[in-house]
Amino acid sequence: MALFSCFVIGTLFTISIYLLLSPNLLRWLLGIALLSSSVNLLILIAGRMVSEVPPFIERGYLKPIQQVANPLPQALILTAIVIGFGLLVFALILVRKIWQRTGNVDSYLLHSSEVGSNKAKQFYE
Amino acid sequence: MNNTWVALLPILICLITIIGCLISWPWPFLQKIVHIAGACFFMMATCTVFYAVSSSNYLVVSIGNYPPPFGIAVVIDHLSALMLLLTGIIAMSVAFYALVDIPARKQAYFFPIFWVLVLGICGAFSTGDLFNLYVWFEVMLIASFVLMVMGNSRAQLEGTIKYVALNLVATILLLVAIALLYGITGSLNMAALAAQIHQLPEDHFLWVVILILALAFAIKSALFPLYFWLPASYHTTSVSASAIFAGMLTKVGVYALLRLFTLIYIPEINGAILSLLLFSSGMSMLTGVLGAASQFNFRRILSFHIISQVGYIVAGLAIFKPAAFIAAIFYMVHHIIVKTNLFLVSGVVKKMKGSFNLKRLGNLYSTEPYLAILFFIPAFSLAGLPPFSGFWAKLLILQAALANQHLILLVAALTASFLTLYSMLKIWGHAFWRAKGADDSRPSLAFSEKAILIIPILFLITMTLLISIFPNLLYQEAKLAMNQLVNPQDYIQAVLGVA
């Protein structure tokens, strides 16, 4: 099961890196979303999936009675999901603003602040 | 030890200032007062932490009183305290500068996010847990995104998307490395990792994890060949934001590299990755200044120089000898102060002459001679002219390289120094020295505005001159920090309480 999950995560990483390399900013955004999710899965696998029992302690006991799921990766994943969500929303709004301002989402056309571009003149003013 | 709670003071002051700035949003004058008061208290807090660490070498606070391998620990040693002190100095300087630099209608947005950035930086320097480091990196990152795009001009949108793209990948790589490290060792506390590293089973793949961590921090530190986001973005944003980015953000990456390689130390693994870092730092030194050679935008030249100077600092790390560590820490301190100062000066030039383009500037030496002095000192300190702080810093790095037979690195460092001098002379010659004909008449700044812009620059120049005239003070402090770095068992002892 863990081995199969590792292959799945590897495939997801491949797809997201392919999307990240795209000049189209919307595809890049999807790549970021998929990459964040894949890393969250990686944290889950790294914590060893030994049990699906929720990590609670019964009333009156000091330790869990049976083998419970590892709670630490769950905490890490929750944090990572929230952080990834915040960053993704920001990137989405940024892409939207670029689309509103330039009319396209092609990253090859975002060069007006670079040297040697014929659009560089209007930046330097 | 009942005064270890001071370790939390910088983070607390930042949090209170953020909340205060947000609450006083509808009243700009009140917000300015909260902002400045926060800056002053923050500076005092970092000085207090520095003083506390100088007497008791480690300050360890367990958050929530959960003992360290299980809970998050705030660990401040000499290096962290030094970096926190620098954060205090830079934050206070840029905070004052931003009072005039940021237009009044944007100040309400700028001040809270500025303090979120400073909070992230402080947290990253204070933490003793790897996942907590990731979280503080994210806080810093999202604040830097917002600061970079504030203003929404076309150049800013472009700069921000390039910054976002590469730094998001760095962040996710860091998370991948943390996941794998947790899978191998079962712990994310830095001290516990350092203690456990030598007891792992033989078939571990730790070198992959350390490589990914080094890669993530190298993207953050803008090392060759991962630095292309920096000159694409730093020159597009507002001057205050670019000043604090230039001073602090890449140095957090370098600090993380220092922690990583000194705590998680396995000779055969680290040796290979360190030689990779050595190559990368040498190439950073050269390609950074070569990139600056073709630029005529004031801030873009300075951005390329960030890359070059970070190459020097990481070269000190990659040589991995005690003298080299002292050189790296000394250089880091010198560079933070000088680089922020240069960005602030470039902002004053923009306010007075209206442009960052060197071809349109000129004659500043006769119209504003004091500005020429204010540029001269940090610029030629950056280039390594004696007796300024850059001379001592470069001397230490070159001595460390020579003593360890890294002759190619030595030649690269010297070449980069000459090319840095060329760049600074270019700026000096174009913007300050040459007598240009008609300059566009701009409304001159009021005296109070000029004062608020110049006083932080003067403060930073005083720091540079202090280091220049009394380099031994900083050297001794760097030596204390180095002693703690090369003895990770003291760190483990202080955090976990066991040898």
Side-chain angles (χ1 to χ4, degrees), chain B residues 364-391:
Chain B
L364 272 169
Y365 184 74
S366 45
T367 52
E368 326 269 351
Y370 61 91
L371 200 58
I373 312 276
L374 293 182
F375 172 76
F376 183 88
I377 296 178
F380 291 98
S381 179
L382 192 77
L385 231 58
F388 295 124
S389 54
F391 169 69

mmCIF file of all heavy atoms in Angstrom, chain B residues 364-391:
data_model
loop_
_atom_site.group_PDB
_atom_site.id
_atom_site.type_symbol
_atom_site.label_atom_id
_atom_site.label_comp_id
_atom_site.label_asym_id
_atom_site.label_seq_id
_atom_site.Cartn_x
_atom_site.Cartn_y
_atom_site.Cartn_z
ATOM 1 N N LEU B 364 24.689 65.146 -8.834
ATOM 2 C CA LEU B 364 24.237 65.137 -7.450
ATOM 3 C C LEU B 364 25.309 65.627 -6.494
ATOM 4 O O LEU B 364 25.004 66.064 -5.398
ATOM 5 C CB LEU B 364 23.808 63.716 -7.049
ATOM 6 C CG LEU B 364 22.359 63.429 -7.353
ATOM 7 C CD1 LEU B 364 22.076 61.957 -7.201
ATOM 8 C CD2 LEU B 364 21.475 64.210 -6.414
ATOM 9 N N TYR B 365 26.552 65.543 -6.924
ATOM 10 C CA TYR B 365 27.613 65.969 -6.001
ATOM 11 C C TYR B 365 27.555 67.460 -5.749
ATOM 12 O O TYR B 365 27.867 67.935 -4.664
ATOM 13 C CB TYR B 365 28.985 65.586 -6.570
ATOM 14 C CG TYR B 365 30.122 65.902 -5.640
ATOM 15 C CD1 TYR B 365 30.350 65.126 -4.517
ATOM 16 C CD2 TYR B 365 30.965 66.990 -5.872
ATOM 17 C CE1 TYR B 365 31.379 65.395 -3.658
ATOM 18 C CE2 TYR B 365 32.005 67.271 -5.012
ATOM 19 C CZ TYR B 365 32.201 66.466 -3.902
ATOM 20 O OH TYR B 365 33.234 66.749 -3.050
ATOM 21 N N SER B 366 27.147 68.227 -6.766
ATOM 22 C CA SER B 366 27.111 69.672 -6.532
ATOM 23 C C SER B 366 25.773 70.122 -5.972
ATOM 24 O O SER B 366 25.717 71.073 -5.205
ATOM 25 C CB SER B 366 27.426 70.447 -7.815
ATOM 26 O OG SER B 366 26.702 69.891 -8.872
ATOM 27 N N THR B 367 24.672 69.415 -6.326
ATOM 28 C CA THR B 367 23.391 69.868 -5.790
ATOM 29 C C THR B 367 23.165 69.352 -4.370
ATOM 30 O O THR B 367 22.633 70.063 -3.531
ATOM 31 C CB THR B 367 22.230 69.408 -6.686
ATOM 32 O OG1 THR B 367 22.345 68.007 -6.889
ATOM 33 C CG2 THR B 367 22.268 70.123 -8.009
ATOM 34 N N GLU B 368 23.525 68.096 -4.105
ATOM 35 C CA GLU B 368 23.310 67.544 -2.757
ATOM 36 C C GLU B 368 24.593 66.870 -2.297
ATOM 37 O O GLU B 368 24.692 65.648 -2.323
ATOM 38 C CB GLU B 368 22.187 66.500 -2.766
ATOM 39 C CG GLU B 368 21.065 66.757 -3.726
ATOM 40 C CD GLU B 368 19.972 67.559 -3.070
ATOM 41 O OE1 GLU B 368 20.035 67.751 -1.850
ATOM 42 O OE2 GLU B 368 19.066 67.988 -3.785
ATOM 43 N N PRO B 369 25.595 67.628 -1.902
ATOM 44 C CA PRO B 369 26.886 66.998 -1.583
ATOM 45 C C PRO B 369 26.831 66.005 -0.432
ATOM 46 O O PRO B 369 27.562 65.014 -0.441
ATOM 47 C CB PRO B 369 27.792 68.188 -1.245
ATOM 48 C CG PRO B 369 26.894 69.338 -1.054
ATOM 49 C CD PRO B 369 25.648 69.090 -1.798
ATOM 50 N N TYR B 370 25.939 66.240 0.533
ATOM 51 C CA TYR B 370 25.886 65.299 1.662
ATOM 52 C C TYR B 370 25.458 63.911 1.183
ATOM 53 O O TYR B 370 25.891 62.898 1.708
ATOM 54 C CB TYR B 370 24.945 65.815 2.747
ATOM 55 C CG TYR B 370 23.527 65.990 2.279
ATOM 56 C CD1 TYR B 370 22.600 64.973 2.401
ATOM 57 C CD2 TYR B 370 23.122 67.186 1.678
ATOM 58 C CE1 TYR B 370 21.320 65.120 1.947
ATOM 59 C CE2 TYR B 370 21.838 67.335 1.218
ATOM 60 C CZ TYR B 370 20.940 66.304 1.353
ATOM 61 O OH TYR B 370 19.670 66.455 0.888
ATOM 62 N N LEU B 371 24.603 63.910 0.137
ATOM 63 C CA LEU B 371 24.143 62.613 -0.382
ATOM 64 C C LEU B 371 25.304 61.847 -0.992
ATOM 65 O O LEU B 371 25.357 60.623 -0.928
ATOM 66 C CB LEU B 371 23.059 62.855 -1.429
ATOM 67 C CG LEU B 371 22.146 61.685 -1.729
ATOM 68 C CD1 LEU B 371 21.452 61.235 -0.480
ATOM 69 C CD2 LEU B 371 21.136 62.093 -2.778
ATOM 70 N N ALA B 372 26.245 62.592 -1.581
ATOM 71 C CA ALA B 372 27.401 61.928 -2.164
ATOM 72 C C ALA B 372 28.204 61.211 -1.092
ATOM 73 O O ALA B 372 28.657 60.081 -1.282
ATOM 74 C CB ALA B 372 28.266 62.929 -2.905
ATOM 75 N N ILE B 373 28.380 61.873 0.062
ATOM 76 C CA ILE B 373 29.099 61.213 1.167
ATOM 77 C C ILE B 373 28.292 60.004 1.645
ATOM 78 O O ILE B 373 28.846 58.940 1.889
ATOM 79 C CB ILE B 373 29.283 62.174 2.351
ATOM 80 C CG1 ILE B 373 29.814 63.510 1.899
ATOM 81 C CG2 ILE B 373 30.140 61.535 3.419
ATOM 82 C CD1 ILE B 373 31.283 63.537 1.744
ATOM 83 N N LEU B 374 26.963 60.164 1.742
ATOM 84 C CA LEU B 374 26.123 59.078 2.238
ATOM 85 C C LEU B 374 26.127 57.896 1.295
ATOM 86 O O LEU B 374 25.885 56.777 1.717
ATOM 87 C CB LEU B 374 24.683 59.565 2.425
ATOM 88 C CG LEU B 374 24.473 60.594 3.511
ATOM 89 C CD1 LEU B 374 22.996 60.943 3.605
ATOM 90 C CD2 LEU B 374 24.958 60.080 4.840
ATOM 91 N N PHE B 375 26.384 58.146 0.022
ATOM 92 C CA PHE B 375 26.516 57.031 -0.901
ATOM 93 C C PHE B 375 27.925 56.460 -0.854
ATOM 94 O O PHE B 375 28.125 55.250 -0.928
ATOM 95 C CB PHE B 375 26.190 57.480 -2.331
ATOM 96 C CG PHE B 375 26.484 56.426 -3.355
ATOM 97 C CD1 PHE B 375 25.648 55.348 -3.506
ATOM 98 C CD2 PHE B 375 27.607 56.503 -4.159
ATOM 99 C CE1 PHE B 375 25.913 54.360 -4.429
ATOM 100 C CE2 PHE B 375 27.886 55.525 -5.089
ATOM 101 C CZ PHE B 375 27.036 54.454 -5.229
ATOM 102 N N PHE B 376 28.909 57.355 -0.741
ATOM 103 C CA PHE B 376 30.303 56.955 -0.838
ATOM 104 C C PHE B 376 30.658 55.891 0.197
ATOM 105 O O PHE B 376 31.277 54.874 -0.119
ATOM 106 C CB PHE B 376 31.176 58.195 -0.644
ATOM 107 C CG PHE B 376 32.642 57.939 -0.802
ATOM 108 C CD1 PHE B 376 33.226 58.026 -2.044
ATOM 109 C CD2 PHE B 376 33.431 57.612 0.285
ATOM 110 C CE1 PHE B 376 34.582 57.794 -2.197
ATOM 111 C CE2 PHE B 376 34.780 57.377 0.140
ATOM 112 C CZ PHE B 376 35.352 57.467 -1.110
ATOM 113 N N ILE B 377 30.234 56.144 1.458
ATOM 114 C CA ILE B 377 30.683 55.251 2.528
ATOM 115 C C ILE B 377 30.147 53.828 2.336
ATOM 116 O O ILE B 377 30.933 52.876 2.290
ATOM 117 C CB ILE B 377 30.338 55.843 3.904
ATOM 118 C CG1 ILE B 377 31.120 57.138 4.093
ATOM 119 C CG2 ILE B 377 30.657 54.859 5.005
ATOM 120 C CD1 ILE B 377 30.845 57.832 5.380
ATOM 121 N N PRO B 378 28.832 53.596 2.197
ATOM 122 C CA PRO B 378 28.405 52.206 2.011
ATOM 123 C C PRO B 378 28.854 51.606 0.692
ATOM 124 O O PRO B 378 29.179 50.423 0.627
ATOM 125 C CB PRO B 378 26.884 52.263 2.109
ATOM 126 C CG PRO B 378 26.516 53.671 1.940
ATOM 127 C CD PRO B 378 27.666 54.502 2.316
ATOM 128 N N ALA B 379 28.914 52.434 -0.381
ATOM 129 C CA ALA B 379 29.270 51.859 -1.673
ATOM 130 C C ALA B 379 30.693 51.342 -1.670
ATOM 131 O O ALA B 379 30.973 50.225 -2.128
ATOM 132 C CB ALA B 379 29.093 52.898 -2.771
ATOM 133 N N PHE B 380 31.609 52.146 -1.159
ATOM 134 C CA PHE B 380 32.992 51.692 -1.196
ATOM 135 C C PHE B 380 33.308 50.736 -0.061
ATOM 136 O O PHE B 380 34.300 50.017 -0.114
ATOM 137 C CB PHE B 380 33.923 52.888 -1.309
ATOM 138 C CG PHE B 380 33.781 53.540 -2.654
ATOM 139 C CD1 PHE B 380 32.983 54.646 -2.822
ATOM 140 C CD2 PHE B 380 34.374 52.975 -3.757
ATOM 141 C CE1 PHE B 380 32.802 55.216 -4.073
ATOM 142 C CE2 PHE B 380 34.202 53.530 -5.004
ATOM 143 C CZ PHE B 380 33.425 54.648 -5.170
ATOM 144 N N SER B 381 32.438 50.689 0.942
ATOM 145 C CA SER B 381 32.551 49.596 1.898
ATOM 146 C C SER B 381 32.165 48.294 1.226
ATOM 147 O O SER B 381 32.787 47.251 1.435
ATOM 148 C CB SER B 381 31.633 49.869 3.092
ATOM 149 O OG SER B 381 31.709 48.823 4.010
ATOM 150 N N LEU B 382 31.117 48.327 0.382
ATOM 151 C CA LEU B 382 30.708 47.140 -0.362
ATOM 152 C C LEU B 382 31.831 46.669 -1.266
ATOM 153 O O LEU B 382 32.091 45.470 -1.405
ATOM 154 C CB LEU B 382 29.472 47.468 -1.207
ATOM 155 C CG LEU B 382 28.764 46.293 -1.822
ATOM 156 C CD1 LEU B 382 27.945 45.598 -0.778
ATOM 157 C CD2 LEU B 382 27.881 46.735 -2.956
ATOM 158 N N ALA B 383 32.524 47.629 -1.906
ATOM 159 C CA ALA B 383 33.579 47.254 -2.840
ATOM 160 C C ALA B 383 34.816 46.753 -2.120
ATOM 161 O O ALA B 383 35.688 46.154 -2.742
ATOM 162 C CB ALA B 383 33.933 48.451 -3.718
ATOM 163 N N GLY B 384 34.923 47.004 -0.815
ATOM 164 C CA GLY B 384 36.045 46.448 -0.074
ATOM 165 C C GLY B 384 37.197 47.402 0.093
ATOM 166 O O GLY B 384 38.333 46.971 0.267
ATOM 167 N N LEU B 385 36.906 48.696 0.037
ATOM 168 C CA LEU B 385 37.989 49.662 0.171
ATOM 169 C C LEU B 385 38.366 49.786 1.640
ATOM 170 O O LEU B 385 37.498 49.922 2.486
ATOM 171 C CB LEU B 385 37.488 51.018 -0.324
ATOM 172 C CG LEU B 385 38.350 51.734 -1.341
ATOM 173 C CD1 LEU B 385 38.540 50.862 -2.559
ATOM 174 C CD2 LEU B 385 37.689 53.036 -1.731
ATOM 175 N N PRO B 386 39.660 49.757 1.966
ATOM 176 C CA PRO B 386 40.016 50.065 3.355
ATOM 177 C C PRO B 386 39.734 51.526 3.626
ATOM 178 O O PRO B 386 39.843 52.340 2.735
ATOM 179 C CB PRO B 386 41.516 49.752 3.423
ATOM 180 C CG PRO B 386 41.973 49.692 2.024
ATOM 181 C CD PRO B 386 40.806 49.357 1.173
ATOM 182 N N PRO B 387 39.423 51.982 4.817
ATOM 183 C CA PRO B 387 39.328 51.214 6.053
ATOM 184 C C PRO B 387 37.912 50.758 6.375
ATOM 185 O O PRO B 387 37.607 50.491 7.509
ATOM 186 C CB PRO B 387 39.775 52.232 7.089
ATOM 187 C CG PRO B 387 39.181 53.506 6.570
ATOM 188 C CD PRO B 387 39.228 53.414 5.072
ATOM 189 N N PHE B 388 37.028 50.675 5.354
ATOM 190 C CA PHE B 388 35.627 50.405 5.679
ATOM 191 C C PHE B 388 35.407 48.946 6.039
ATOM 192 O O PHE B 388 36.283 48.106 5.863
ATOM 193 C CB PHE B 388 34.743 50.808 4.500
ATOM 194 C CG PHE B 388 34.772 52.265 4.228
ATOM 195 C CD1 PHE B 388 35.115 52.754 2.990
ATOM 196 C CD2 PHE B 388 34.459 53.176 5.223
ATOM 197 C CE1 PHE B 388 35.140 54.113 2.740
ATOM 198 C CE2 PHE B 388 34.484 54.525 4.986
ATOM 199 C CZ PHE B 388 34.837 55.000 3.739
ATOM 200 N N SER B 389 34.183 48.640 6.491
ATOM 201 C CA SER B 389 33.911 47.310 7.040
ATOM 202 C C SER B 389 34.063 46.230 5.976
ATOM 203 O O SER B 389 34.442 45.098 6.277
ATOM 204 C CB SER B 389 32.502 47.262 7.629
ATOM 205 O OG SER B 389 31.558 47.665 6.676
ATOM 206 N N GLY B 390 33.798 46.590 4.701
ATOM 207 C CA GLY B 390 33.908 45.587 3.643
ATOM 208 C C GLY B 390 35.331 45.087 3.479
ATOM 209 O O GLY B 390 35.554 43.932 3.119
ATOM 210 N N PHE B 391 36.290 45.974 3.753
ATOM 211 C CA PHE B 391 37.691 45.556 3.638
ATOM 212 C C PHE B 391 37.981 44.437 4.621
ATOM 213 O O PHE B 391 38.560 43.406 4.264
ATOM 214 C CB PHE B 391 38.592 46.762 3.882
ATOM 215 C CG PHE B 391 40.031 46.422 4.054
ATOM 216 C CD1 PHE B 391 40.752 45.952 2.979
ATOM 217 C CD2 PHE B 391 40.651 46.537 5.280
ATOM 218 C CE1 PHE B 391 42.077 45.618 3.121
ATOM 219 C CE2 PHE B 391 41.974 46.198 5.433
ATOM 220 C CZ PHE B 391 42.699 45.742 4.347
#
